Amino acid sequence: MEPETLVEAFTGCEGIFHAASPVTDDPEKMIEPAIRGTKYVITAAADMGIKRVVFTSTIGTVYMNPHRDPSKPVDDTCWSDLEYCKKTANWYCYAKTVAEQDALETARQRGIELIVVNPVLVLGPLLQPTVNASTEHVMKYLTGSAKTYVNAAQAYVHVKDVAEAHVRVYEAPGAHGRYICAEGTTLHRGELCRVLGKLFPEYPVPTKCKDEVNPPVKGYKFTNQRLKDLGMEFVPVLQSIYETVKSLQEKGMLPVLPPGDDVRDNLHEQLMMKPAQLLRN
């Protein structure tokens, strides 16, 4: 991607949504393209007189910090620790953090209204014909390829909510800064597997943790209040999980097995539950 091609593409635009990014932990494929590409977008927008840019970042720029108190909510003021990202070879989070920080500074210098959306792991129906990293996160626990689950926790958001968040921050005159895009529930991987087992008992969902020594990892609490203040209402996490699996089935990526009648009889009520409530039943 070269700056002059962006100038041509941006001609006639009033605003820009920058969502393109490599997704890999290969430093050669991740660092320079993510940082340089984002800088090119901000610079080209400024050169064209475009005043508002919405940048799709990631929760990976927010929470990767071993010194943070896990009991305190993670909000838009939190940043990932670059040295920790390098130490753990998490080059995706490293590159996206540097790209976001550089974009905010470049936007400030060039007079651009830059608004950042930081989604957690995105679930929901697929548009593409292939499995991506987000859907593989769920699919591997249904196919039998994963015999155990890892000792980790994750927050989720529906893909439609991510799209809506971008539109809302673009259209809100007072929108500024960073917006964490998360449904609000953080699930340990064991909880995710138990949810999958409840909703889709026909699949060989693992029941044991790979780490049998340490206590279950507690996930961070993410605040989505800034998006709620713009009128966002988030799809319940159970519905996001269910629609992901149904989409995988419909696209032929996951075999359709005979469902359990007890699950489908009260499906709507189950999807509206909090995960803890479902798992108690």
Side-chain angles (χ1 to χ4, degrees):
M1 179 172 62
E2 299 300 329
E4 55 269 21
T5 63
L6 292 175
V7 170
E8 181 180 352
F10 291 174
T11 300
C13 293
E14 296 181 358
I16 301 296
F17 293 86
H18 175 43
S21 174
V23 181
T24 175
D25 273 323
D26 183 333
E28 293 185 2
K29 296 179 180 179
M30 186 68 220
I31 298 175
E32 186 178 356
I35 297 171
R36 182 181 60 190
T38 303
K39 191 176 187 70
Y40 283 174
V41 169
I42 303 300
T43 301
D47 290 344
M48 296 294 292
I50 298 169
K51 292 299 184 182
R52 178 160 282 209
V53 175
V54 178
F55 173 37
T56 310
S57 189
T58 169
I59 201 66
T61 70
V62 178
Y63 79 99
M64 289 287 292
N65 188 334
H67 309 297
R68 182 171 296 119
D69 183 349
S71 66
K72 293 183 178 179
V74 176
D75 61 20
D76 59 293
T77 66
C78 299
W79 284 96
S80 291
D81 185 284
L82 291 175
E83 290 303 315
Y84 179 69
C85 290
K86 288 193 288 186
K87 182 179 179 180
T88 56
N90 195 321
W91 299 112
Y92 175 75
C93 292
Y94 174 86
K96 292 293 284 186
T97 302
V98 175
E100 187 180 329
Q101 292 175 340
D102 184 67
L104 288 166
E105 178 59 24
T106 302
R108 185 190 65 79
Q109 294 175 357
R110 298 296 305 271
I112 294 287
E113 296 177 2
L114 178 65
I115 308 161
V116 181
V117 179
N118 300 87
V120 294
L121 194 140
V122 182
L123 296 179
L126 288 76
L127 290 177
Q128 75 280 3
T130 57
V131 176
N132 59 13
S134 295
T135 46
E136 175 62 22
H137 174 91
V138 171
M139 186 172 174
K140 65 185 177 184
Y141 294 126
L142 298 167
T143 60
S145 61
K147 306 302 181 184
T148 58
Y149 54 81
V150 296
N151 188 9
Q154 186 76 50
Y156 303 94
V157 67
H158 196 287
V159 63
K160 292 180 182 178
D161 289 338
V162 178
E164 182 180 342
H166 281 70
V167 175
R168 284 187 180 270
V169 299
Y170 177 77
E171 293 182 343
H176 65 281
R178 308 165 85 204
Y179 289 79
I180 292 178
C181 191
E183 182 265 354
T185 303
T186 300
L187 296 178
H188 186 272
R189 208 70 90 247
E191 293 175 307
L192 170 65
C193 286
R194 288 194 292 276
V195 165
L196 289 170
K198 283 275 190 176
L199 296 178
F200 298 94
E202 61 269 30
Y203 291 103
V205 180
T207 58
K208 292 184 178 181
C209 184
K210 184 177 181 180
D211 180 358
E212 297 181 338
V213 177
N214 297 300
V217 169
K218 293 184 178 180
Y220 288 119
K221 300 175 182 177
F222 298 103
T223 175
N224 55 15
Q225 190 58 50
R226 297 197 73 211
L227 282 174
K228 285 185 174 180
D229 290 343
L230 296 180
M232 284 282 299
E233 294 182 4
F234 289 86
V235 174
V237 66
L238 296 184
Q239 184 174 338
S240 297
I241 294 169
Y242 178 80
E243 290 184 11
T244 301
V245 178
K246 294 300 290 183
S247 181
L248 288 168
Q249 292 176 334
E250 291 165 3
K251 290 183 176 293
M253 301 175 188
L254 185 69
V256 179
L257 303 177
D261 294 336
D262 57 331
V263 175
R264 302 301 185 258
D265 287 345
N266 59 347
L267 177 62
H268 178 74
E269 290 79 4
Q270 288 185 327
L271 297 183
M272 294 300 105
M273 293 178 181
K274 294 291 185 182
Q277 183 182 1
L278 175 70
L279 296 178
R280 281 196 301 267
N281 290 350

mmCIF file of all heavy atoms in Angstrom, residues 221-259:
data_model
loop_
_atom_site.group_PDB
_atom_site.id
_atom_site.type_symbol
_atom_site.label_atom_id
_atom_site.label_comp_id
_atom_site.label_asym_id
_atom_site.label_seq_id
_atom_site.Cartn_x
_atom_site.Cartn_y
_atom_site.Cartn_z
ATOM 1 N N LYS A 221 -12.104 -7.483 33.599
ATOM 2 C CA LYS A 221 -13.429 -6.905 33.414
ATOM 3 C C LYS A 221 -13.284 -5.690 32.505
ATOM 4 O O LYS A 221 -12.550 -4.759 32.820
ATOM 5 C CB LYS A 221 -14.028 -6.486 34.757
ATOM 6 C CG LYS A 221 -14.200 -7.634 35.745
ATOM 7 C CD LYS A 221 -14.686 -7.122 37.092
ATOM 8 C CE LYS A 221 -14.814 -8.248 38.099
ATOM 9 N NZ LYS A 221 -15.223 -7.741 39.451
ATOM 10 N N PHE A 222 -13.963 -5.726 31.380
ATOM 11 C CA PHE A 222 -13.880 -4.625 30.418
ATOM 12 C C PHE A 222 -15.127 -3.752 30.522
ATOM 13 O O PHE A 222 -16.239 -4.271 30.587
ATOM 14 C CB PHE A 222 -13.759 -5.166 28.997
ATOM 15 C CG PHE A 222 -12.521 -5.989 28.772
ATOM 16 C CD1 PHE A 222 -12.592 -7.375 28.733
ATOM 17 C CD2 PHE A 222 -11.291 -5.388 28.605
ATOM 18 C CE1 PHE A 222 -11.456 -8.144 28.532
ATOM 19 C CE2 PHE A 222 -10.153 -6.147 28.401
ATOM 20 C CZ PHE A 222 -10.228 -7.524 28.365
ATOM 21 N N THR A 223 -14.928 -2.449 30.514
ATOM 22 C CA THR A 223 -16.079 -1.552 30.562
ATOM 23 C C THR A 223 -16.434 -1.085 29.158
ATOM 24 O O THR A 223 -15.570 -0.638 28.391
ATOM 25 C CB THR A 223 -15.813 -0.330 31.461
ATOM 26 O OG1 THR A 223 -16.926 0.579 31.372
ATOM 27 C CG2 THR A 223 -14.547 0.406 31.055
ATOM 28 N N ASN A 224 -17.703 -1.218 28.803
ATOM 29 C CA ASN A 224 -18.186 -0.763 27.505
ATOM 30 C C ASN A 224 -19.082 0.470 27.649
ATOM 31 O O ASN A 224 -19.892 0.773 26.761
ATOM 32 C CB ASN A 224 -18.954 -1.884 26.794
ATOM 33 C CG ASN A 224 -20.087 -2.436 27.654
ATOM 34 O OD1 ASN A 224 -20.489 -1.831 28.643
ATOM 35 N ND2 ASN A 224 -20.615 -3.594 27.275
ATOM 36 N N GLN A 225 -18.934 1.179 28.772
ATOM 37 C CA GLN A 225 -19.837 2.279 29.089
ATOM 38 C C GLN A 225 -19.817 3.385 28.042
ATOM 39 O O GLN A 225 -20.854 3.992 27.747
ATOM 40 C CB GLN A 225 -19.501 2.863 30.462
ATOM 41 C CG GLN A 225 -20.536 3.852 30.985
ATOM 42 C CD GLN A 225 -21.925 3.239 31.088
ATOM 43 O OE1 GLN A 225 -22.075 2.158 31.662
ATOM 44 N NE2 GLN A 225 -22.934 3.890 30.532
ATOM 45 N N ARG A 226 -18.658 3.651 27.456
ATOM 46 C CA ARG A 226 -18.590 4.749 26.481
ATOM 47 C C ARG A 226 -19.472 4.460 25.265
ATOM 48 O O ARG A 226 -20.102 5.371 24.721
ATOM 49 C CB ARG A 226 -17.153 5.001 26.041
ATOM 50 C CG ARG A 226 -16.220 5.464 27.153
ATOM 51 C CD ARG A 226 -14.946 6.075 26.586
ATOM 52 N NE ARG A 226 -15.207 7.372 26.027
ATOM 53 C CZ ARG A 226 -14.555 7.914 24.992
ATOM 54 N NH1 ARG A 226 -13.621 7.202 24.377
ATOM 55 N NH2 ARG A 226 -14.845 9.124 24.555
ATOM 56 N N LEU A 227 -19.528 3.195 24.831
ATOM 57 C CA LEU A 227 -20.411 2.858 23.719
ATOM 58 C C LEU A 227 -21.875 2.815 24.163
ATOM 59 O O LEU A 227 -22.771 3.205 23.406
ATOM 60 C CB LEU A 227 -20.011 1.516 23.107
ATOM 61 C CG LEU A 227 -18.785 1.553 22.190
ATOM 62 C CD1 LEU A 227 -18.383 0.153 21.752
ATOM 63 C CD2 LEU A 227 -19.041 2.436 20.969
ATOM 64 N N LYS A 228 -22.122 2.374 25.371
ATOM 65 C CA LYS A 228 -23.495 2.405 25.878
ATOM 66 C C LYS A 228 -24.016 3.840 25.946
ATOM 67 O O LYS A 228 -25.196 4.093 25.699
ATOM 68 C CB LYS A 228 -23.575 1.744 27.256
ATOM 69 C CG LYS A 228 -23.490 0.227 27.222
ATOM 70 C CD LYS A 228 -23.691 -0.353 28.613
ATOM 71 C CE LYS A 228 -23.744 -1.869 28.575
ATOM 72 N NZ LYS A 228 -23.942 -2.452 29.934
ATOM 73 N N ASP A 229 -23.130 4.768 26.265
ATOM 74 C CA ASP A 229 -23.528 6.179 26.315
ATOM 75 C C ASP A 229 -23.931 6.698 24.939
ATOM 76 O O ASP A 229 -24.648 7.713 24.846
ATOM 77 C CB ASP A 229 -22.380 7.030 26.868
ATOM 78 C CG ASP A 229 -22.132 6.793 28.350
ATOM 79 O OD1 ASP A 229 -23.021 6.237 29.024
ATOM 80 O OD2 ASP A 229 -21.047 7.163 28.839
ATOM 81 N N LEU A 230 -23.487 6.016 23.889
ATOM 82 C CA LEU A 230 -23.878 6.383 22.523
ATOM 83 C C LEU A 230 -25.105 5.612 22.055
ATOM 84 O O LEU A 230 -25.501 5.720 20.899
ATOM 85 C CB LEU A 230 -22.722 6.130 21.553
ATOM 86 C CG LEU A 230 -21.456 6.961 21.755
ATOM 87 C CD1 LEU A 230 -20.407 6.595 20.705
ATOM 88 C CD2 LEU A 230 -21.758 8.450 21.707
ATOM 89 N N GLY A 231 -25.698 4.830 22.959
ATOM 90 C CA GLY A 231 -26.927 4.110 22.637
ATOM 91 C C GLY A 231 -26.757 2.646 22.281
ATOM 92 O O GLY A 231 -27.726 1.987 21.893
ATOM 93 N N MET A 232 -25.553 2.110 22.431
ATOM 94 C CA MET A 232 -25.316 0.701 22.086
ATOM 95 C C MET A 232 -25.995 -0.249 23.062
ATOM 96 O O MET A 232 -25.972 -0.032 24.265
ATOM 97 C CB MET A 232 -23.817 0.407 22.086
ATOM 98 C CG MET A 232 -23.068 0.927 20.875
ATOM 99 S SD MET A 232 -23.279 -0.086 19.389
ATOM 100 C CE MET A 232 -22.608 -1.661 19.909
ATOM 101 N N GLU A 233 -26.621 -1.290 22.519
ATOM 102 C CA GLU A 233 -27.119 -2.417 23.297
ATOM 103 C C GLU A 233 -26.496 -3.671 22.696
ATOM 104 O O GLU A 233 -26.641 -3.928 21.500
ATOM 105 C CB GLU A 233 -28.646 -2.489 23.238
ATOM 106 C CG GLU A 233 -29.341 -1.302 23.905
ATOM 107 C CD GLU A 233 -30.853 -1.421 23.875
ATOM 108 O OE1 GLU A 233 -31.346 -2.475 23.397
ATOM 109 O OE2 GLU A 233 -31.527 -0.476 24.305
ATOM 110 N N PHE A 234 -25.803 -4.445 23.508
ATOM 111 C CA PHE A 234 -24.994 -5.539 22.992
ATOM 112 C C PHE A 234 -25.758 -6.863 22.938
ATOM 113 O O PHE A 234 -26.554 -7.174 23.820
ATOM 114 C CB PHE A 234 -23.737 -5.707 23.849
ATOM 115 C CG PHE A 234 -22.742 -4.587 23.666
ATOM 116 C CD1 PHE A 234 -22.845 -3.428 24.408
ATOM 117 C CD2 PHE A 234 -21.711 -4.695 22.744
ATOM 118 C CE1 PHE A 234 -21.939 -2.388 24.241
ATOM 119 C CE2 PHE A 234 -20.798 -3.671 22.565
ATOM 120 C CZ PHE A 234 -20.912 -2.513 23.317
ATOM 121 N N VAL A 235 -25.480 -7.634 21.890
ATOM 122 C CA VAL A 235 -26.038 -8.974 21.753
ATOM 123 C C VAL A 235 -25.498 -9.845 22.885
ATOM 124 O O VAL A 235 -24.288 -9.839 23.145
ATOM 125 C CB VAL A 235 -25.641 -9.594 20.393
ATOM 126 C CG1 VAL A 235 -26.101 -11.048 20.299
ATOM 127 C CG2 VAL A 235 -26.207 -8.761 19.245
ATOM 128 N N PRO A 236 -26.355 -10.597 23.595
ATOM 129 C CA PRO A 236 -25.873 -11.472 24.675
ATOM 130 C C PRO A 236 -24.827 -12.452 24.178
ATOM 131 O O PRO A 236 -24.906 -12.949 23.056
ATOM 132 C CB PRO A 236 -27.146 -12.190 25.148
ATOM 133 C CG PRO A 236 -28.268 -11.288 24.735
ATOM 134 C CD PRO A 236 -27.822 -10.645 23.461
ATOM 135 N N VAL A 237 -23.847 -12.736 25.026
ATOM 136 C CA VAL A 237 -22.717 -13.573 24.608
ATOM 137 C C VAL A 237 -23.166 -14.977 24.189
ATOM 138 O O VAL A 237 -22.600 -15.564 23.258
ATOM 139 C CB VAL A 237 -21.651 -13.637 25.721
ATOM 140 C CG1 VAL A 237 -22.173 -14.350 26.962
ATOM 141 C CG2 VAL A 237 -20.378 -14.317 25.212
ATOM 142 N N LEU A 238 -24.189 -15.529 24.843
ATOM 143 C CA LEU A 238 -24.653 -16.869 24.469
ATOM 144 C C LEU A 238 -25.219 -16.884 23.051
ATOM 145 O O LEU A 238 -25.026 -17.842 22.304
ATOM 146 C CB LEU A 238 -25.691 -17.373 25.461
ATOM 147 C CG LEU A 238 -25.218 -17.585 26.903
ATOM 148 C CD1 LEU A 238 -26.331 -18.180 27.746
ATOM 149 C CD2 LEU A 238 -23.989 -18.474 26.956
ATOM 150 N N GLN A 239 -25.898 -15.816 22.674
ATOM 151 C CA GLN A 239 -26.426 -15.724 21.319
ATOM 152 C C GLN A 239 -25.284 -15.616 20.306
ATOM 153 O O GLN A 239 -25.340 -16.203 19.222
ATOM 154 C CB GLN A 239 -27.364 -14.522 21.189
ATOM 155 C CG GLN A 239 -28.040 -14.420 19.822
ATOM 156 C CD GLN A 239 -29.072 -13.305 19.766
ATOM 157 O OE1 GLN A 239 -29.596 -12.862 20.786
ATOM 158 N NE2 GLN A 239 -29.361 -12.829 18.570
ATOM 159 N N SER A 240 -24.236 -14.879 20.660
ATOM 160 C CA SER A 240 -23.071 -14.765 19.775
ATOM 161 C C SER A 240 -22.425 -16.122 19.545
ATOM 162 O O SER A 240 -22.062 -16.478 18.404
ATOM 163 C CB SER A 240 -22.047 -13.796 20.378
ATOM 164 O OG SER A 240 -22.566 -12.494 20.494
ATOM 165 N N ILE A 241 -22.279 -16.891 20.613
ATOM 166 C CA ILE A 241 -21.684 -18.224 20.506
ATOM 167 C C ILE A 241 -22.563 -19.126 19.647
ATOM 168 O O ILE A 241 -22.082 -19.832 18.751
ATOM 169 C CB ILE A 241 -21.469 -18.828 21.901
ATOM 170 C CG1 ILE A 241 -20.417 -18.017 22.684
ATOM 171 C CG2 ILE A 241 -21.048 -20.296 21.808
ATOM 172 C CD1 ILE A 241 -20.322 -18.382 24.150
ATOM 173 N N TYR A 242 -23.863 -19.104 19.919
ATOM 174 C CA TYR A 242 -24.803 -19.957 19.175
ATOM 175 C C TYR A 242 -24.785 -19.621 17.685
ATOM 176 O O TYR A 242 -24.714 -20.521 16.837
ATOM 177 C CB TYR A 242 -26.209 -19.778 19.734
ATOM 178 C CG TYR A 242 -27.265 -20.581 18.997
ATOM 179 C CD1 TYR A 242 -27.427 -21.931 19.251
ATOM 180 C CD2 TYR A 242 -28.074 -19.968 18.039
ATOM 181 C CE1 TYR A 242 -28.391 -22.672 18.565
ATOM 182 C CE2 TYR A 242 -29.028 -20.695 17.354
ATOM 183 C CZ TYR A 242 -29.181 -22.043 17.614
ATOM 184 O OH TYR A 242 -30.122 -22.774 16.929
ATOM 185 N N GLU A 243 -24.836 -18.334 17.343
ATOM 186 C CA GLU A 243 -24.870 -17.939 15.935
ATOM 187 C C GLU A 243 -23.561 -18.269 15.224
ATOM 188 O O GLU A 243 -23.558 -18.530 14.016
ATOM 189 C CB GLU A 243 -25.187 -16.443 15.816
ATOM 190 C CG GLU A 243 -26.607 -16.099 16.201
ATOM 191 C CD GLU A 243 -26.938 -14.637 15.977
ATOM 192 O OE1 GLU A 243 -26.136 -13.923 15.332
ATOM 193 O OE2 GLU A 243 -28.007 -14.193 16.438
ATOM 194 N N THR A 244 -22.465 -18.275 15.953
ATOM 195 C CA THR A 244 -21.184 -18.670 15.361
ATOM 196 C C THR A 244 -21.235 -20.127 14.925
ATOM 197 O O THR A 244 -20.847 -20.475 13.801
ATOM 198 C CB THR A 244 -20.042 -18.468 16.372
ATOM 199 O OG1 THR A 244 -19.986 -17.094 16.767
ATOM 200 C CG2 THR A 244 -18.703 -18.867 15.774
ATOM 201 N N VAL A 245 -21.706 -20.981 15.817
ATOM 202 C CA VAL A 245 -21.765 -22.407 15.505
ATOM 203 C C VAL A 245 -22.753 -22.665 14.366
ATOM 204 O O VAL A 245 -22.463 -23.442 13.435
ATOM 205 C CB VAL A 245 -22.145 -23.220 16.757
ATOM 206 C CG1 VAL A 245 -22.267 -24.701 16.421
ATOM 207 C CG2 VAL A 245 -21.114 -23.014 17.859
ATOM 208 N N LYS A 246 -23.913 -22.032 14.397
ATOM 209 C CA LYS A 246 -24.899 -22.232 13.334
ATOM 210 C C LYS A 246 -24.341 -21.775 11.980
ATOM 211 O O LYS A 246 -24.594 -22.416 10.954
ATOM 212 C CB LYS A 246 -26.193 -21.472 13.655
ATOM 213 C CG LYS A 246 -26.936 -21.993 14.868
ATOM 214 C CD LYS A 246 -27.341 -23.451 14.708
ATOM 215 C CE LYS A 246 -28.426 -23.642 13.667
ATOM 216 N NZ LYS A 246 -28.874 -25.063 13.571
ATOM 217 N N SER A 247 -23.581 -20.700 11.981
ATOM 218 C CA SER A 247 -22.981 -20.221 10.737
ATOM 219 C C SER A 247 -21.955 -21.216 10.203
ATOM 220 O O SER A 247 -21.895 -21.482 8.999
ATOM 221 C CB SER A 247 -22.325 -18.852 10.955
ATOM 222 O OG SER A 247 -21.755 -18.356 9.770
ATOM 223 N N LEU A 248 -21.156 -21.779 11.101
ATOM 224 C CA LEU A 248 -20.185 -22.798 10.694
ATOM 225 C C LEU A 248 -20.890 -24.006 10.079
ATOM 226 O O LEU A 248 -20.423 -24.584 9.095
ATOM 227 C CB LEU A 248 -19.343 -23.235 11.895
ATOM 228 C CG LEU A 248 -18.322 -22.215 12.414
ATOM 229 C CD1 LEU A 248 -17.766 -22.654 13.757
ATOM 230 C CD2 LEU A 248 -17.187 -22.029 11.417
ATOM 231 N N GLN A 249 -22.033 -24.369 10.661
ATOM 232 C CA GLN A 249 -22.813 -25.482 10.110
ATOM 233 C C GLN A 249 -23.372 -25.133 8.732
ATOM 234 O O GLN A 249 -23.276 -25.922 7.781
ATOM 235 C CB GLN A 249 -23.958 -25.840 11.059
ATOM 236 C CG GLN A 249 -23.517 -26.451 12.377
ATOM 237 C CD GLN A 249 -24.698 -26.689 13.310
ATOM 238 O OE1 GLN A 249 -25.719 -26.005 13.217
ATOM 239 N NE2 GLN A 249 -24.570 -27.663 14.188
ATOM 240 N N GLU A 250 -23.949 -23.945 8.610
ATOM 241 C CA GLU A 250 -24.596 -23.535 7.361
ATOM 242 C C GLU A 250 -23.610 -23.415 6.214
ATOM 243 O O GLU A 250 -23.968 -23.646 5.048
ATOM 244 C CB GLU A 250 -25.334 -22.212 7.580
ATOM 245 C CG GLU A 250 -26.553 -22.342 8.482
ATOM 246 C CD GLU A 250 -27.057 -21.003 8.988
ATOM 247 O OE1 GLU A 250 -26.478 -19.967 8.582
ATOM 248 O OE2 GLU A 250 -28.023 -20.989 9.776
ATOM 249 N N LYS A 251 -22.370 -23.064 6.524
ATOM 250 C CA LYS A 251 -21.349 -22.914 5.488
ATOM 251 C C LYS A 251 -20.588 -24.213 5.220
ATOM 252 O O LYS A 251 -19.637 -24.232 4.444
ATOM 253 C CB LYS A 251 -20.390 -21.792 5.860
ATOM 254 C CG LYS A 251 -21.016 -20.401 5.776
ATOM 255 C CD LYS A 251 -20.019 -19.312 6.076
ATOM 256 C CE LYS A 251 -20.646 -17.942 5.878
ATOM 257 N NZ LYS A 251 -20.972 -17.656 4.457
ATOM 258 N N GLY A 252 -21.002 -25.297 5.884
ATOM 259 C CA GLY A 252 -20.389 -26.586 5.636
ATOM 260 C C GLY A 252 -19.026 -26.767 6.269
ATOM 261 O O GLY A 252 -18.298 -27.700 5.920
ATOM 262 N N MET A 253 -18.675 -25.906 7.200
ATOM 263 C CA MET A 253 -17.378 -26.001 7.869
ATOM 264 C C MET A 253 -17.431 -26.911 9.090
ATOM 265 O O MET A 253 -16.402 -27.342 9.594
ATOM 266 C CB MET A 253 -16.905 -24.606 8.295
ATOM 267 C CG MET A 253 -16.756 -23.629 7.154
ATOM 268 S SD MET A 253 -16.332 -21.985 7.761
ATOM 269 C CE MET A 253 -16.461 -21.025 6.245
ATOM 270 N N LEU A 254 -18.647 -27.194 9.552
ATOM 271 C CA LEU A 254 -18.864 -28.033 10.721
ATOM 272 C C LEU A 254 -19.998 -28.996 10.407
ATOM 273 O O LEU A 254 -21.070 -28.558 9.979
ATOM 274 C CB LEU A 254 -19.220 -27.161 11.940
ATOM 275 C CG LEU A 254 -19.378 -27.859 13.287
ATOM 276 C CD1 LEU A 254 -18.020 -28.374 13.780
ATOM 277 C CD2 LEU A 254 -19.970 -26.883 14.313
ATOM 278 N N PRO A 255 -19.802 -30.283 10.586
ATOM 279 C CA PRO A 255 -20.880 -31.234 10.273
ATOM 280 C C PRO A 255 -22.086 -31.021 11.175
ATOM 281 O O PRO A 255 -21.940 -30.710 12.360
ATOM 282 C CB PRO A 255 -20.230 -32.602 10.518
ATOM 283 C CG PRO A 255 -19.093 -32.336 11.456
ATOM 284 C CD PRO A 255 -18.586 -30.964 11.097
ATOM 285 N N VAL A 256 -23.256 -31.160 10.606
ATOM 286 C CA VAL A 256 -24.502 -31.017 11.370
ATOM 287 C C VAL A 256 -24.860 -32.380 11.948
ATOM 288 O O VAL A 256 -25.086 -33.339 11.204
ATOM 289 C CB VAL A 256 -25.644 -30.493 10.482
ATOM 290 C CG1 VAL A 256 -26.934 -30.390 11.293
ATOM 291 C CG2 VAL A 256 -25.276 -29.151 9.876
ATOM 292 N N LEU A 257 -24.922 -32.469 13.269
ATOM 293 C CA LEU A 257 -25.259 -33.708 13.962
ATOM 294 C C LEU A 257 -26.651 -33.583 14.570
ATOM 295 O O LEU A 257 -27.137 -32.474 14.807
ATOM 296 C CB LEU A 257 -24.221 -33.996 15.049
ATOM 297 C CG LEU A 257 -22.763 -34.093 14.585
ATOM 298 C CD1 LEU A 257 -21.841 -34.311 15.780
ATOM 299 C CD2 LEU A 257 -22.593 -35.183 13.557
ATOM 300 N N PRO A 258 -27.315 -34.684 14.845
ATOM 301 C CA PRO A 258 -28.654 -34.620 15.444
ATOM 302 C C PRO A 258 -28.607 -33.887 16.783
ATOM 303 O O PRO A 258 -27.830 -34.261 17.669
ATOM 304 C CB PRO A 258 -29.040 -36.093 15.628
ATOM 305 C CG PRO A 258 -28.198 -36.828 14.637
ATOM 306 C CD PRO A 258 -26.904 -36.076 14.566
ATOM 307 N N PRO A 259 -29.426 -32.842 16.960
ATOM 308 C CA PRO A 259 -29.405 -32.077 18.203
ATOM 309 C C PRO A 259 -30.166 -32.767 19.324
ATOM 310 O O PRO A 259 -30.990 -33.652 19.085
ATOM 311 C CB PRO A 259 -30.093 -30.772 17.818
ATOM 312 C CG PRO A 259 -31.075 -31.179 16.763
ATOM 313 C CD PRO A 259 -30.388 -32.294 15.986
#
